PDB file of all heavy atoms in Angstrom:
ATOM      1  N   PRO A   1      12.697 -17.804  89.446  1.00 91.00           N
ATOM      2  CA  PRO A   1      12.693 -17.843  88.022  1.00 91.00           C
ATOM      3  C   PRO A   1      11.747 -18.905  87.461  1.00 91.00           C
ATOM      4  O   PRO A   1      11.030 -18.729  86.474  1.00 91.00           O
ATOM      5  CB  PRO A   1      14.155 -18.098  87.615  1.00 91.00           C
ATOM      6  CG  PRO A   1      14.924 -17.595  88.760  1.00 91.00           C
ATOM      7  CD  PRO A   1      14.105 -17.824  89.986  1.00 91.00           C
ATOM      8  N   ALA A   2      11.791 -20.116  88.116  1.00 91.00           N
ATOM      9  CA  ALA A   2      10.952 -21.214  87.638  1.00 91.00           C
ATOM     10  C   ALA A   2       9.473 -20.864  87.794  1.00 91.00           C
ATOM     11  O   ALA A   2       8.617 -21.243  86.950  1.00 91.00           O
ATOM     12  CB  ALA A   2      11.254 -22.513  88.428  1.00 91.00           C
ATOM     13  N   GLN A   3       9.098 -20.196  88.921  1.00 88.00           N
ATOM     14  CA  GLN A   3       7.694 -19.827  89.106  1.00 88.00           C
ATOM     15  C   GLN A   3       7.299 -18.738  88.061  1.00 88.00           C
ATOM     16  O   GLN A   3       6.180 -18.756  87.603  1.00 88.00           O
ATOM     17  CB  GLN A   3       7.533 -19.233  90.535  1.00 88.00           C
ATOM     18  CG  GLN A   3       7.608 -20.281  91.590  1.00 88.00           C
ATOM     19  CD  GLN A   3       7.678 -19.700  93.010  1.00 88.00           C
ATOM     20  OE1 GLN A   3       8.125 -18.523  93.164  1.00 88.00           O
ATOM     21  NE2 GLN A   3       7.269 -20.445  93.989  1.00 88.00           N
ATOM     22  N   PHE A   4       8.234 -17.840  87.734  1.00 88.00           N
ATOM     23  CA  PHE A   4       7.970 -16.879  86.721  1.00 88.00           C
ATOM     24  C   PHE A   4       7.689 -17.577  85.385  1.00 88.00           C
ATOM     25  O   PHE A   4       6.756 -17.206  84.646  1.00 88.00           O
ATOM     26  CB  PHE A   4       9.126 -15.867  86.591  1.00 88.00           C
ATOM     27  CG  PHE A   4       8.946 -14.860  85.501  1.00 88.00           C
ATOM     28  CD1 PHE A   4       8.165 -13.757  85.679  1.00 88.00           C
ATOM     29  CD2 PHE A   4       9.604 -15.028  84.274  1.00 88.00           C
ATOM     30  CE1 PHE A   4       8.013 -12.815  84.642  1.00 88.00           C
ATOM     31  CE2 PHE A   4       9.485 -14.063  83.258  1.00 88.00           C
ATOM     32  CZ  PHE A   4       8.657 -12.979  83.462  1.00 88.00           C
ATOM     33  N   LEU A   5       8.532 -18.544  85.015  1.00 93.00           N
ATOM     34  CA  LEU A   5       8.357 -19.286  83.777  1.00 93.00           C
ATOM     35  C   LEU A   5       7.005 -19.980  83.709  1.00 93.00           C
ATOM     36  O   LEU A   5       6.232 -19.857  82.741  1.00 93.00           O
ATOM     37  CB  LEU A   5       9.461 -20.312  83.640  1.00 93.00           C
ATOM     38  CG  LEU A   5       9.323 -21.406  82.563  1.00 93.00           C
ATOM     39  CD1 LEU A   5       9.251 -20.755  81.127  1.00 93.00           C
ATOM     40  CD2 LEU A   5      10.497 -22.394  82.614  1.00 93.00           C
ATOM     41  N   LEU A   6       6.611 -20.682  84.830  1.00 92.00           N
ATOM     42  CA  LEU A   6       5.358 -21.401  84.817  1.00 92.00           C
ATOM     43  C   LEU A   6       4.188 -20.377  84.743  1.00 92.00           C
ATOM     44  O   LEU A   6       3.259 -20.608  83.999  1.00 92.00           O
ATOM     45  CB  LEU A   6       5.237 -22.169  86.120  1.00 92.00           C
ATOM     46  CG  LEU A   6       3.925 -22.942  86.318  1.00 92.00           C
ATOM     47  CD1 LEU A   6       3.677 -23.965  85.196  1.00 92.00           C
ATOM     48  CD2 LEU A   6       3.927 -23.668  87.681  1.00 92.00           C
ATOM     49  N   GLY A   7       4.297 -19.247  85.485  1.00 87.00           N
ATOM     50  CA  GLY A   7       3.233 -18.283  85.493  1.00 87.00           C
ATOM     51  C   GLY A   7       3.025 -17.636  84.098  1.00 87.00           C
ATOM     52  O   GLY A   7       1.882 -17.481  83.702  1.00 87.00           O
ATOM     53  N   ARG A   8       4.100 -17.388  83.397  1.00 89.00           N
ATOM     54  CA  ARG A   8       3.940 -16.830  82.008  1.00 89.00           C
ATOM     55  C   ARG A   8       3.323 -17.861  81.077  1.00 89.00           C
ATOM     56  O   ARG A   8       2.493 -17.475  80.223  1.00 89.00           O
ATOM     57  CB  ARG A   8       5.298 -16.351  81.507  1.00 89.00           C
ATOM     58  CG  ARG A   8       5.926 -15.212  82.347  1.00 89.00           C
ATOM     59  CD  ARG A   8       5.008 -14.065  82.507  1.00 89.00           C
ATOM     60  NE  ARG A   8       4.634 -13.503  81.203  1.00 89.00           N
ATOM     61  CZ  ARG A   8       3.469 -12.941  80.937  1.00 89.00           C
ATOM     62  NH1 ARG A   8       2.510 -12.911  81.884  1.00 89.00           N
ATOM     63  NH2 ARG A   8       3.223 -12.438  79.746  1.00 89.00           N
ATOM     64  N   ARG A   9       3.731 -19.115  81.203  1.00 92.00           N
ATOM     65  CA  ARG A   9       3.133 -20.137  80.333  1.00 92.00           C
ATOM     66  C   ARG A   9       1.599 -20.243  80.598  1.00 92.00           C
ATOM     67  O   ARG A   9       0.814 -20.263  79.653  1.00 92.00           O
ATOM     68  CB  ARG A   9       3.806 -21.464  80.585  1.00 92.00           C
ATOM     69  CG  ARG A   9       5.150 -21.648  79.850  1.00 92.00           C
ATOM     70  CD  ARG A   9       5.800 -22.966  80.120  1.00 92.00           C
ATOM     71  NE  ARG A   9       6.930 -23.174  79.200  1.00 92.00           N
ATOM     72  CZ  ARG A   9       7.929 -23.901  79.429  1.00 92.00           C
ATOM     73  NH1 ARG A   9       8.037 -24.594  80.582  1.00 92.00           N
ATOM     74  NH2 ARG A   9       8.953 -24.054  78.547  1.00 92.00           N
ATOM     75  N   LEU A  10       1.254 -20.260  81.875  1.00 90.00           N
ATOM     76  CA  LEU A  10      -0.165 -20.396  82.219  1.00 90.00           C
ATOM     77  C   LEU A  10      -0.931 -19.133  81.772  1.00 90.00           C
ATOM     78  O   LEU A  10      -2.078 -19.255  81.354  1.00 90.00           O
ATOM     79  CB  LEU A  10      -0.302 -20.627  83.714  1.00 90.00           C
ATOM     80  CG  LEU A  10       0.166 -21.994  84.212  1.00 90.00           C
ATOM     81  CD1 LEU A  10       0.224 -21.997  85.715  1.00 90.00           C
ATOM     82  CD2 LEU A  10      -0.723 -23.112  83.692  1.00 90.00           C
ATOM     83  N   ALA A  11      -0.302 -17.967  81.887  1.00 87.00           N
ATOM     84  CA  ALA A  11      -0.990 -16.738  81.451  1.00 87.00           C
ATOM     85  C   ALA A  11      -1.336 -16.817  79.948  1.00 87.00           C
ATOM     86  O   ALA A  11      -2.437 -16.408  79.567  1.00 87.00           O
ATOM     87  CB  ALA A  11      -0.125 -15.541  81.777  1.00 87.00           C
ATOM     88  N   HIS A  12      -0.352 -17.263  79.121  1.00 90.00           N
ATOM     89  CA  HIS A  12      -0.640 -17.342  77.697  1.00 90.00           C
ATOM     90  C   HIS A  12      -1.670 -18.434  77.429  1.00 90.00           C
ATOM     91  O   HIS A  12      -2.516 -18.247  76.499  1.00 90.00           O
ATOM     92  CB  HIS A  12       0.694 -17.636  76.976  1.00 90.00           C
ATOM     93  CG  HIS A  12       1.573 -16.404  76.811  1.00 90.00           C
ATOM     94  ND1 HIS A  12       1.334 -15.441  75.852  1.00 90.00           N
ATOM     95  CD2 HIS A  12       2.649 -16.047  77.499  1.00 90.00           C
ATOM     96  CE1 HIS A  12       2.259 -14.493  75.953  1.00 90.00           C
ATOM     97  NE2 HIS A  12       3.084 -14.833  76.950  1.00 90.00           N
ATOM     98  N   CYS A  13      -1.629 -19.549  78.107  1.00 92.00           N
ATOM     99  CA  CYS A  13      -2.620 -20.564  77.916  1.00 92.00           C
ATOM    100  C   CYS A  13      -4.033 -20.021  78.249  1.00 92.00           C
ATOM    101  O   CYS A  13      -4.991 -20.277  77.539  1.00 92.00           O
ATOM    102  CB  CYS A  13      -2.312 -21.761  78.825  1.00 92.00           C
ATOM    103  SG  CYS A  13      -0.906 -22.724  78.300  1.00 92.00           S
ATOM    104  N   SER A  14      -4.129 -19.308  79.373  1.00 88.00           N
ATOM    105  CA  SER A  14      -5.409 -18.708  79.772  1.00 88.00           C
ATOM    106  C   SER A  14      -5.935 -17.789  78.641  1.00 88.00           C
ATOM    107  O   SER A  14      -7.110 -17.848  78.283  1.00 88.00           O
ATOM    108  CB  SER A  14      -5.262 -18.019  81.082  1.00 88.00           C
ATOM    109  OG  SER A  14      -6.432 -17.259  81.342  1.00 88.00           O
ATOM    110  N   ARG A  15      -5.038 -16.956  78.152  1.00 86.00           N
ATOM    111  CA  ARG A  15      -5.474 -16.006  77.141  1.00 86.00           C
ATOM    112  C   ARG A  15      -5.966 -16.742  75.873  1.00 86.00           C
ATOM    113  O   ARG A  15      -7.002 -16.319  75.284  1.00 86.00           O
ATOM    114  CB  ARG A  15      -4.294 -15.072  76.771  1.00 86.00           C
ATOM    115  CG  ARG A  15      -4.681 -13.933  75.884  1.00 86.00           C
ATOM    116  CD  ARG A  15      -3.588 -12.852  75.909  1.00 86.00           C
ATOM    117  NE  ARG A  15      -2.320 -13.371  75.427  1.00 86.00           N
ATOM    118  CZ  ARG A  15      -1.153 -12.707  75.595  1.00 86.00           C
ATOM    119  NH1 ARG A  15      -1.137 -11.537  76.191  1.00 86.00           N
ATOM    120  NH2 ARG A  15      -0.011 -13.243  75.129  1.00 86.00           N
ATOM    121  N   ASP A  16      -5.280 -17.800  75.457  1.00 90.00           N
ATOM    122  CA  ASP A  16      -5.767 -18.527  74.248  1.00 90.00           C
ATOM    123  C   ASP A  16      -7.067 -19.276  74.540  1.00 90.00           C
ATOM    124  O   ASP A  16      -7.922 -19.363  73.662  1.00 90.00           O
ATOM    125  CB  ASP A  16      -4.669 -19.538  73.835  1.00 90.00           C
ATOM    126  CG  ASP A  16      -3.550 -18.872  73.100  1.00 90.00           C
ATOM    127  OD1 ASP A  16      -3.597 -17.658  72.845  1.00 90.00           O
ATOM    128  OD2 ASP A  16      -2.555 -19.543  72.803  1.00 90.00           O
ATOM    129  N   LEU A  17      -7.208 -19.800  75.745  1.00 89.00           N
ATOM    130  CA  LEU A  17      -8.462 -20.469  76.081  1.00 89.00           C
ATOM    131  C   LEU A  17      -9.633 -19.596  76.111  1.00 89.00           C
ATOM    132  O   LEU A  17     -10.762 -19.959  75.805  1.00 89.00           O
ATOM    133  CB  LEU A  17      -8.323 -21.185  77.458  1.00 89.00           C
ATOM    134  CG  LEU A  17      -7.428 -22.430  77.544  1.00 89.00           C
ATOM    135  CD1 LEU A  17      -7.098 -22.745  78.976  1.00 89.00           C
ATOM    136  CD2 LEU A  17      -8.106 -23.612  76.833  1.00 89.00           C
ATOM    137  N   LEU A  18      -9.426 -18.309  76.414  1.00 85.00           N
ATOM    138  CA  LEU A  18     -10.492 -17.308  76.423  1.00 85.00           C
ATOM    139  C   LEU A  18     -10.704 -16.602  75.076  1.00 85.00           C
ATOM    140  O   LEU A  18     -11.624 -15.805  74.918  1.00 85.00           O
ATOM    141  CB  LEU A  18     -10.228 -16.264  77.513  1.00 85.00           C
ATOM    142  CG  LEU A  18     -10.126 -16.824  78.931  1.00 85.00           C
ATOM    143  CD1 LEU A  18      -9.738 -15.679  79.913  1.00 85.00           C
ATOM    144  CD2 LEU A  18     -11.384 -17.479  79.394  1.00 85.00           C
ATOM    145  N   ASP A  19      -9.859 -16.898  74.083  1.00 85.00           N
ATOM    146  CA  ASP A  19      -9.872 -16.246  72.813  1.00 85.00           C
ATOM    147  C   ASP A  19     -10.809 -17.012  71.842  1.00 85.00           C
ATOM    148  O   ASP A  19     -10.584 -18.165  71.600  1.00 85.00           O
ATOM    149  CB  ASP A  19      -8.431 -16.220  72.220  1.00 85.00           C
ATOM    150  CG  ASP A  19      -8.366 -15.396  70.956  1.00 85.00           C
ATOM    151  OD1 ASP A  19      -9.392 -15.180  70.269  1.00 85.00           O
ATOM    152  OD2 ASP A  19      -7.274 -14.890  70.637  1.00 85.00           O
ATOM    153  N   PRO A  20     -11.911 -16.393  71.378  1.00 84.00           N
ATOM    154  CA  PRO A  20     -12.832 -17.103  70.479  1.00 84.00           C
ATOM    155  C   PRO A  20     -12.176 -17.689  69.261  1.00 84.00           C
ATOM    156  O   PRO A  20     -12.657 -18.684  68.694  1.00 84.00           O
ATOM    157  CB  PRO A  20     -13.828 -15.965  70.098  1.00 84.00           C
ATOM    158  CG  PRO A  20     -13.721 -14.963  71.161  1.00 84.00           C
ATOM    159  CD  PRO A  20     -12.291 -14.965  71.611  1.00 84.00           C
ATOM    160  N   ARG A  21     -11.051 -17.101  68.813  1.00 87.00           N
ATOM    161  CA  ARG A  21     -10.376 -17.634  67.644  1.00 87.00           C
ATOM    162  C   ARG A  21      -9.760 -19.043  67.885  1.00 87.00           C
ATOM    163  O   ARG A  21      -9.477 -19.768  66.915  1.00 87.00           O
ATOM    164  CB  ARG A  21      -9.276 -16.674  67.196  1.00 87.00           C
ATOM    165  CG  ARG A  21      -9.787 -15.351  66.702  1.00 87.00           C
ATOM    166  CD  ARG A  21      -8.656 -14.358  66.470  1.00 87.00           C
ATOM    167  NE  ARG A  21      -7.912 -14.113  67.694  1.00 87.00           N
ATOM    168  CZ  ARG A  21      -6.866 -13.300  67.773  1.00 87.00           C
ATOM    169  NH1 ARG A  21      -6.436 -12.668  66.656  1.00 87.00           N
ATOM    170  NH2 ARG A  21      -6.241 -13.097  68.912  1.00 87.00           N
ATOM    171  N   TRP A  22      -9.615 -19.425  69.147  1.00 88.00           N
ATOM    172  CA  TRP A  22      -9.022 -20.728  69.479  1.00 88.00           C
ATOM    173  C   TRP A  22     -10.027 -21.711  70.040  1.00 88.00           C
ATOM    174  O   TRP A  22      -9.688 -22.764  70.517  1.00 88.00           O
ATOM    175  CB  TRP A  22      -7.888 -20.560  70.534  1.00 88.00           C
ATOM    176  CG  TRP A  22      -6.652 -19.946  69.933  1.00 88.00           C
ATOM    177  CD1 TRP A  22      -6.402 -18.644  69.655  1.00 88.00           C
ATOM    178  CD2 TRP A  22      -5.453 -20.654  69.537  1.00 88.00           C
ATOM    179  NE1 TRP A  22      -5.189 -18.455  69.112  1.00 88.00           N
ATOM    180  CE2 TRP A  22      -4.554 -19.689  69.023  1.00 88.00           C
ATOM    181  CE3 TRP A  22      -5.102 -21.981  69.581  1.00 88.00           C
ATOM    182  CZ2 TRP A  22      -3.295 -20.033  68.564  1.00 88.00           C
ATOM    183  CZ3 TRP A  22      -3.845 -22.331  69.102  1.00 88.00           C
ATOM    184  CH2 TRP A  22      -2.971 -21.387  68.635  1.00 88.00           C
ATOM    185  N   VAL A  23     -11.321 -21.356  69.907  1.00 88.00           N
ATOM    186  CA  VAL A  23     -12.362 -22.162  70.538  1.00 88.00           C
ATOM    187  C   VAL A  23     -12.427 -23.583  70.024  1.00 88.00           C
ATOM    188  O   VAL A  23     -12.849 -24.501  70.762  1.00 88.00           O
ATOM    189  CB  VAL A  23     -13.741 -21.449  70.448  1.00 88.00           C
ATOM    190  CG1 VAL A  23     -14.204 -21.449  69.000  1.00 88.00           C
ATOM    191  CG2 VAL A  23     -14.754 -22.063  71.394  1.00 88.00           C
ATOM    192  N   MET A  24     -12.050 -23.833  68.788  1.00 90.00           N
ATOM    193  CA  MET A  24     -12.152 -25.184  68.218  1.00 90.00           C
ATOM    194  C   MET A  24     -10.869 -25.982  68.432  1.00 90.00           C
ATOM    195  O   MET A  24     -10.755 -27.161  68.059  1.00 90.00           O
ATOM    196  CB  MET A  24     -12.447 -25.094  66.735  1.00 90.00           C
ATOM    197  CG  MET A  24     -13.776 -24.436  66.400  1.00 90.00           C
ATOM    198  SD  MET A  24     -15.181 -25.096  67.322  1.00 90.00           S
ATOM    199  CE  MET A  24     -15.222 -26.742  66.566  1.00 90.00           C
ATOM    200  N   ARG A  25      -9.828 -25.374  69.018  1.00 92.00           N
ATOM    201  CA  ARG A  25      -8.535 -26.054  69.204  1.00 92.00           C
ATOM    202  C   ARG A  25      -8.653 -26.863  70.500  1.00 92.00           C
ATOM    203  O   ARG A  25      -9.148 -26.385  71.510  1.00 92.00           O
ATOM    204  CB  ARG A  25      -7.404 -25.089  69.302  1.00 92.00           C
ATOM    205  CG  ARG A  25      -7.225 -24.242  68.084  1.00 92.00           C
ATOM    206  CD  ARG A  25      -6.754 -25.083  66.862  1.00 92.00           C
ATOM    207  NE  ARG A  25      -6.529 -24.231  65.692  1.00 92.00           N
ATOM    208  CZ  ARG A  25      -5.350 -23.739  65.354  1.00 92.00           C
ATOM    209  NH1 ARG A  25      -4.285 -23.919  66.127  1.00 92.00           N
ATOM    210  NH2 ARG A  25      -5.191 -22.949  64.300  1.00 92.00           N
ATOM    211  N   PRO A  26      -8.108 -28.052  70.539  1.00 94.00           N
ATOM    212  CA  PRO A  26      -8.109 -28.897  71.780  1.00 94.00           C
ATOM    213  C   PRO A  26      -7.366 -28.157  72.893  1.00 94.00           C
ATOM    214  O   PRO A  26      -6.381 -27.458  72.625  1.00 94.00           O
ATOM    215  CB  PRO A  26      -7.451 -30.181  71.360  1.00 94.00           C
ATOM    216  CG  PRO A  26      -7.579 -30.264  69.907  1.00 94.00           C
ATOM    217  CD  PRO A  26      -7.516 -28.866  69.403  1.00 94.00           C
ATOM    218  N   VAL A  27      -7.802 -28.391  74.123  1.00 94.00           N
ATOM    219  CA  VAL A  27      -7.155 -27.749  75.290  1.00 94.00           C
ATOM    220  C   VAL A  27      -5.690 -28.195  75.326  1.00 94.00           C
ATOM    221  O   VAL A  27      -4.778 -27.374  75.583  1.00 94.00           O
ATOM    222  CB  VAL A  27      -7.889 -28.158  76.580  1.00 94.00           C
ATOM    223  CG1 VAL A  27      -7.010 -27.888  77.795  1.00 94.00           C
ATOM    224  CG2 VAL A  27      -9.206 -27.443  76.656  1.00 94.00           C
ATOM    225  N   SER A  28      -5.402 -29.502  75.130  1.00 95.00           N
ATOM    226  CA  SER A  28      -4.014 -29.942  75.150  1.00 95.00           C
ATOM    227  C   SER A  28      -3.140 -29.269  74.123  1.00 95.00           C
ATOM    228  O   SER A  28      -1.945 -28.993  74.369  1.00 95.00           O
ATOM    229  CB  SER A  28      -3.978 -31.484  74.987  1.00 95.00           C
ATOM    230  OG  SER A  28      -4.551 -31.823  73.722  1.00 95.00           O
TER     231      SER A  28
END
């Protein structure tokens, strides 16, 4: 379950990092 939680968080972070609408938002 913990690995699933971490994987889903990272998946959403990756999607936002690749989304042009979020390009000006800091990575953190």
Side-chain angles (χ1 to χ4, degrees):
Q3 289 169 337
F4 177 79
L5 167 61
L6 178 61
R8 297 306 300 148
R9 281 180 169 155
L10 290 170
H12 282 282
C13 290
S14 170
R15 189 164 59 192
D16 283 356
L17 287 165
L18 300 177
D19 189 335
R21 294 172 299 179
W22 286 79
V23 69
M24 301 306 294
R25 301 292 182 93
V27 165
S28 58

